[in-house]
């Protein structure tokens, strides 16, 4: 409670209650709905104003008068019917030396002044001067003394003086005191006037005092004060500002139900509220009501509804409302134009957005940062990087400072379009300018990690740390992913532990990525440890997590275990998808358990999950590998009957199956069909066809396919060259085989043990033992240990050539290398040249 320089009356404060006439307290003149008062009235102006009005009827007071409080009050009461004389007397005694104001004397004067219409303004000014100064008593004391004096000195209680006091507190920016005054008035059954309540409510809204607003309004309602249109307006505005559009709509509905006459502005706020929910149908309904009442919705109202239409993808209505807005004489503003551009972009209609951008420029509207940001973002998302960068440059030329959001959009767009030089150039500029944030760095870390460029990602990471940008969970997830894909699980785990030490909480993505890395590395034990750790910290596994575990088990040949694990996951609420079943089916196929794969396929269909191309391809591949081409064709027909189109892998499986059966006619037909449906054969398809023709000793057809591969720019890999060399050597075409081998080496393709075996076997069979020895030396130079089969071939070759000494030397070398001779080796050594040749011929 504030200290006061006014002496309180010796009489205890009287709190007016039921003795007062409520009707007299509620009486007030008709006020405008939205009273306007100056925000900061000048106390000096107020003083001079009432002095000029009161001095004209002043009556001199003797210097010798006894100025006791009772005397002053009695003198004021004597002038009860002459308010200006009473005011003059009070001003004169106020100037006397030693005079101390009392609350009661001041309250008596206020009651006298408000009793006459011509001096009510003087009372208001006196209160304003008092409240603006530092001599006013606390609000509760003031209200109590005003009420007590009215009762004590026989004034007809006029609530005007209390309302003037309430408004004075608001005008003096003493909002907390205004609330105290209001509460005391309510407690004393003195009813505040609605216009002054509205002013107080508006002041509370400006200060975001939402709790006080609703408390004040509830007290008002409890006292039967329904308020007016402006009360509804203020309360709805408060709700919107507080983020409670539902409550704003509720106030609107209640006001309509009570029959309060609402204006266009209240309807506009109601439309804003329903747009924020959002409830577009109700917004359209309210717009219709406004127009039926003869009101033209404001530009702000149209802007709000158009923005909501765009946000929810209803461009038809957004454009209709824009046209309606323009037909009402309101020009399209920048907010509407920007929203419509965004709407076009969201629909994938970037051209229309750019056309609108050009049009507003012609109409004299200047795009702002938001306009440019929308177009830069969506041009980048659509891969139109030339236009995106043009807008970025234009933005800077107009003096609009790009935000880090603009830079991030461009960097991401350049990365997706593989314009790496531009992406890194822009990134470096952002770092140099100091606007690069963690998202800027994350864009690069994510892209580099996805592409397996771990070293480059490390460089970005170091720069990020050096610039004081703290990595977040996404940053760590990106780096962990990169190292997992590289197979460097030690570093991935170190990063995982580091993020925990820094107080960052790994999320489900962190655990799933780390788990996937361990499974792909074949370390299922560590993978399950990570899974258990995740569950232990109450992180709920996602479908991706469950699929990671199942796929990981299948990859390492533990498909039966994966199938059992799936049952456990389903019991925990996991709903398997096609991908889940595909992992298990493919796992069984690779293990040669085609019946188990079929069982899972049937279970999948029974669960209502439709197999996709990958499912059928795995099964077709399995049937072909098990030499069951009829079942593979049955699957093919089933696949076609369901409207599924074969992909390259499905064709590859079937072509390979026919090639292994040496049915090259059927293989050729499928190869042609593959091209006819618009697919391009890949290396795997060509290798199957080349191998098939090699097996039929049709090297001419095989070499033709090799030429086609080169002409079509399809990569010839080690298998391609090994198969061709093998066939040519068997066909006795050593020069062609040698040329292909040289071509292979020139492309940087390194021979493996199979290639070396083919070369040595072919050369030995044609008596080219010296060249075979050179191939063996080449293997030694690459630190590659020859196999038992290679030694058997060389030993047999030397027996055939009659060089028994070299044959036994090779046998000894074989033993020195730690290789264990097999039955064929001993057959060659024991039975001699003839049997060795026959045996090897059978093996070949």
């Amino acid at each position: 409670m504030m200290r006061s320089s006014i002496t309180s009356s010796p009489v205890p404060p009287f709190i007016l209650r039921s003795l007062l006439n409520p009707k007299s307290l509620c009486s007030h003149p008709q006020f405008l709905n939205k009273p306007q008062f100056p925000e900061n009235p000048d106390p000096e102006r107020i003083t001079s104003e009432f002095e000029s009005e009161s001095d004209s009827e002043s009556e001199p007071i003797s210097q010798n008068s006894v100025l006791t409080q009772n005397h002053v009050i009695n003198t004021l009461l004597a002038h009860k019917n002459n308010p200006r004389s009473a005011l003059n007397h009070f001003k004169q005694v106020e100037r006397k030396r030693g005079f101390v104001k009392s609350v009661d004397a001041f309250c008596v004067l206020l009651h006298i002044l408000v009793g006459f219409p011509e001096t009510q303004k003087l009372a208001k000014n006196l209160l304003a001067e008092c409240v603006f100064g530092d001599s006013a008593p606390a609000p509760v004391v003031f209200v109590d003394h005003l009420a007590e004096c009215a009762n004590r000195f026989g004034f007809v209680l006029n609530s005007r003086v209390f309302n003037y006091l309430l408004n004075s507190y608001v005008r003096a920016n003493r909002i907390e005191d205004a609330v105290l005054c209001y509460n005391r008035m309510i407690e004393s059954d003195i009813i505040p006037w609605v216009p002054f309540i509205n002013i107080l409510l508006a002041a509370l809204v400006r200060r975001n005092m939402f709790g006080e607003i609703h408390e004040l309004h509830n007290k008002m309602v409890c006292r039967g004060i329904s308020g007016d249109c402006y009360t509804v307006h203020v309360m709805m505005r408060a709700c919107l500002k507080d983020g409670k559009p539902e409550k704003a709509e509720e106030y609107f509905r209640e006001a309509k139900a009570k029959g309060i006459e609402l204006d266009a502005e209240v309807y506009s706020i109601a439309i804003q509220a329903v747009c924020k929910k959002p409830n577009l149908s109700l917004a359209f309904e309210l717009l219709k009501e406004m127009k039926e009442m003869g009101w033209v919705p404001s530009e702000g109202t149209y802007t709000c509804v158009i923005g909501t239409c765009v946000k929810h993808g209803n461009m038809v209505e957004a454009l209709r409302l824009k046209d309606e807005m323009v037909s009402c004489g309101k020009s399209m503003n920048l907010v509407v134009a920007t929203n419509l551009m965004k709407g076009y972009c969201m629909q994938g209609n970037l051209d229309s957005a750019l056309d609108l951008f050009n049009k507003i420029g012609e109409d004299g509207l200047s795009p702002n940062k938001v306009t440019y940001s929308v177009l830069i973002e969506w041009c980048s998302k659509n891969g139109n990087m030339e236009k995106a960068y043009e807008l970025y440059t234009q933005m800077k030329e107009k003096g609009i400072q790009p935000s880090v959001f603009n830079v991030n959009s461009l960097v991401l767009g350049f990365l997706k379009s593989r314009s790496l030089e531009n992406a890194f150039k822009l990134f470096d500029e952002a770092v140099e300018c100091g606007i690069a944030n963690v998202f800027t760095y994350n864009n690069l870390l994510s892209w580099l990690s996805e592409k397996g460029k771990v070293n480059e990602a490390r460089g970005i990471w170091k720069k990020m740390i050096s610039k004081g940008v703290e990595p977040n969970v996404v940053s760590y997830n990106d780096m962990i992913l990169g190292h997992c894909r590289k197979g460097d699980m030690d570093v991935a785990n170190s990063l995982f532990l580091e993020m925990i030490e820094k107080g960052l909480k790994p999320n489900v993505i962190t655990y799933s990525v780390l788990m996937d890395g361990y499974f792909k590395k074949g370390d299922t034990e560590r993978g399950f440890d990570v899974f258990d750790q995740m569950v232990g910290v109450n992180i709920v596994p996602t479908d991706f997590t469950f699929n990671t575990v199942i796929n990981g088990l299948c990859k390492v040949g533990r498909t039966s275990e994966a199938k059992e694990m799936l049952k456990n996951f389903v019991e925990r609420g996991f709903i398997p998808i096609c991908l889940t079943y595909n992992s298990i089916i493919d796992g069984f196929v690779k293990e040669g358990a085609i019946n188990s794969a079929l069982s899972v396929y049937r279970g999948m269909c029974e669960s209502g999950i439709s197999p996709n191309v990958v499912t059928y391809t795995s099964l077709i591949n399995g049937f072909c590998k098990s030499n069951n081409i009829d079942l593979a064709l049955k699957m093919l027909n089933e696949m076609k009957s369901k409207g599924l189109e074969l992909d390259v892998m499905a064709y590859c499986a079937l072509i390979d199956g026919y090639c292994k059966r040496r049915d090259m006619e059927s293989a050729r037909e499928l190869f042609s069909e593959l091209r006819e449906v618009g697919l391009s054969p890949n290396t795997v398809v060509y290798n199957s066809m080349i191998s098939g023709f090699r097996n039929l000793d049709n090297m001419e057809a095989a070499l033709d396919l090799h030429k086609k591969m080169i002409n079509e720019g399809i990569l010839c890999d080690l298998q391609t060259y090994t198969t061709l060399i093998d066939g040519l050597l068997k066909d006795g075409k050593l020069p062609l085989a040698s040329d292909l081998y040289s071509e292979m080496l020139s492309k940087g393709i390194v021979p493996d043990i199979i290639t070396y075996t083919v070369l040595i076997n072919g050369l030995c069979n044609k008596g080219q033992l010296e060249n075979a020895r050179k191939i063996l030396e080449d293997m030694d130079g690459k630190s590659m240990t020859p196999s038992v089969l290679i030694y058997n071939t060389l030993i047999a070759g030397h027996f055939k050539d009659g060089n028994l000494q070299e044959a036994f030397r090779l046998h000894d070398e074989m033993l020195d290398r730690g290789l264990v001779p097999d039955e064929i080796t001993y057959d060659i050594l024991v039975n001699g040249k003839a049997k060795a040749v026959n045996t090897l011929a059978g093996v070949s």
Side-chain angles (χ1 to χ4, degrees), residues 532-762:
D532 293 339
Q533 190 177 343
M534 179 183 75
V535 174
V537 293
N538 297 318
I539 292 179
V540 179
T542 62
D543 289 353
F544 173 75
T545 316
F546 288 128
N547 284 321
T548 296
V549 174
I550 289 166
N551 188 53
L553 287 170
C554 294
K555 292 284 185 189
V556 294
R558 294 167 62 178
T559 312
S560 296
E561 191 177 334
K563 187 181 175 184
E564 288 303 311
M565 187 76 71
L566 176 60
K567 291 179 183 176
N568 296 332
F569 288 162
V570 169
E571 288 172 5
R572 295 168 66 172
F574 170 58
I575 300 172
I577 57 175
C578 190
L579 173 71
T580 318
Y581 286 105
N582 286 349
S583 295
I584 298 175
I585 289 168
D586 190 57
F588 279 129
V589 166
K590 285 177 178 173
E591 291 173 22
I594 191 66
N595 290 331
S596 297
L598 271 173
S599 173
V600 174
Y601 166 75
R602 292 189 194 100
M604 173 185 186
C605 296
E606 287 167 6
S607 299
I609 296 171
S610 299
N612 62 11
V613 175
V614 177
T615 320
Y616 284 110
T617 301
S618 292
L619 289 167
I620 289 168
N621 189 37
F623 288 131
C624 289
K625 281 184 176 178
S626 62
N627 201 25
N628 199 335
I629 199 76
D630 293 333
L631 279 176
L633 291 171
K634 185 180 177 183
M635 277 290 163
L636 173 66
N637 293 330
E638 185 178 321
M639 182 179 175
K640 287 181 176 179
S641 69
K642 291 184 177 179
L644 293 172
E645 295 181 359
L646 277 75
D647 61 7
V648 173
M649 294 307 295
Y651 276 106
C652 181
L654 281 166
I655 288 169
D656 189 60
Y658 279 122
C659 288
K660 282 184 169 60
R661 293 182 67 175
R662 303 194 174 211
D663 184 356
M664 295 308 296
E665 192 61 37
S666 297
R668 273 182 193 271
E669 287 176 9
L670 278 174
F671 186 81
S672 299
E673 185 183 311
L674 183 150
R675 287 183 176 281
E676 286 167 8
V677 297
L679 296 174
S680 298
N682 58 18
T683 303
V684 180
V685 174
Y686 270 107
N687 284 347
S688 293
M689 292 292 290
I690 289 170
S691 180
F693 284 120
R694 186 272 318 266
N695 293 339
L696 292 178
D697 298 326
N698 187 350
M699 289 309 297
E700 185 179 346
L703 289 168
D704 282 344
L705 288 170
H706 171 244
K707 286 177 185 176
K708 280 185 180 179
M709 286 181 79
I710 293 171
N711 293 336
E712 292 173 10
I714 296 169
L715 178 70
C716 296
D717 62 7
L718 181 60
Q719 185 182 338
T720 316
Y721 284 106
T722 301
T723 305
L724 287 168
I725 290 167
D726 182 46
L728 289 169
L729 287 172
K730 285 179 178 176
D731 207 23
K733 297 176 179 175
L734 271 63
L736 271 176
S738 179
D739 290 344
L740 278 175
Y741 184 65
S742 299
E743 181 185 304
M744 181 186 90
L745 295 176
S746 69
K747 290 183 178 180
I749 300 173
V750 179
D752 63 1
I753 192 70
I754 297 171
T755 313
Y756 282 121
T757 304
V758 164
L759 286 166
I760 290 171
N761 187 55

Side-chain angles (χ1 to χ4, degrees), residues 90-226:
F90 186 83
K91 294 304 294 182
Q92 285 186 25
V93 297
E94 193 177 34
R95 297 189 190 101
K96 293 288 184 180
R97 184 177 297 173
F99 175 74
V100 181
K101 289 181 184 178
S102 75
V103 178
D104 288 344
F106 188 58
C107 289
V108 168
L109 175 62
L110 290 171
H111 281 300
I112 292 170
L113 293 175
V114 297
F116 297 87
E118 65 271 18
T119 54
Q120 288 170 355
K121 185 178 179 183
L122 295 174
K124 182 167 67 174
N125 290 340
L126 272 174
L127 276 168
E129 181 189 26
C130 178
V131 170
F132 266 90
D134 60 356
S135 60
V140 173
V141 173
F142 217 150
V143 172
D144 286 351
H145 277 272
L146 279 169
E148 177 196 348
C149 286
N151 184 62
R152 183 178 167 203
F153 297 113
F155 290 104
V156 175
L157 194 67
N158 190 338
S159 64
R160 181 183 300 276
V161 67
F162 296 94
N163 281 287
Y164 283 169
L165 175 62
L166 174 64
N167 192 45
S168 295
Y169 283 123
V170 177
R171 294 170 70 194
N173 205 26
R174 292 171 58 178
I175 304 304
E176 289 80 4
D177 286 341
V179 172
L180 291 171
C181 177
Y182 173 87
N183 289 336
R184 195 60 165 180
M185 287 172 69
I186 292 291
E187 289 168 7
S188 304
D189 290 332
I190 301 169
I191 306 302
W193 293 344
V194 170
F196 290 154
I197 294 174
N198 291 343
I199 292 168
L200 176 55
L201 286 170
L204 291 170
V205 172
R206 286 195 296 274
R207 289 158 182 79
N208 299 327
M209 298 170 70
F210 302 116
E212 290 83 349
I213 291 166
H214 292 293
E215 184 181 345
L216 187 151
H217 185 263
N218 289 338
K219 288 180 179 178
M220 170 183 170
V221 173
C222 288
R223 287 294 186 273
I225 308 170
S226 58

Side-chain angles (χ1 to χ4, degrees), residues 44-59 82-89 91 95 113 116-126:
E44 291 183 8
R45 183 191 63 75
I46 294 169
T47 303
S48 63
E49 185 178 313
F50 73 68
E51 282 184 349
S52 64
E53 291 187 28
S54 61
D55 285 350
S56 60
E57 297 184 19
S58 63
E59 293 181 8
N82 191 343
R84 292 188 184 277
S85 178
L87 175 61
N88 183 53
H89 170 72
K91 294 304 294 182
R95 297 189 190 101
L113 293 175
F116 297 87
E118 65 271 18
T119 54
Q120 288 170 355
K121 185 178 179 183
L122 295 174
K124 182 167 67 174
N125 290 340
L126 272 174

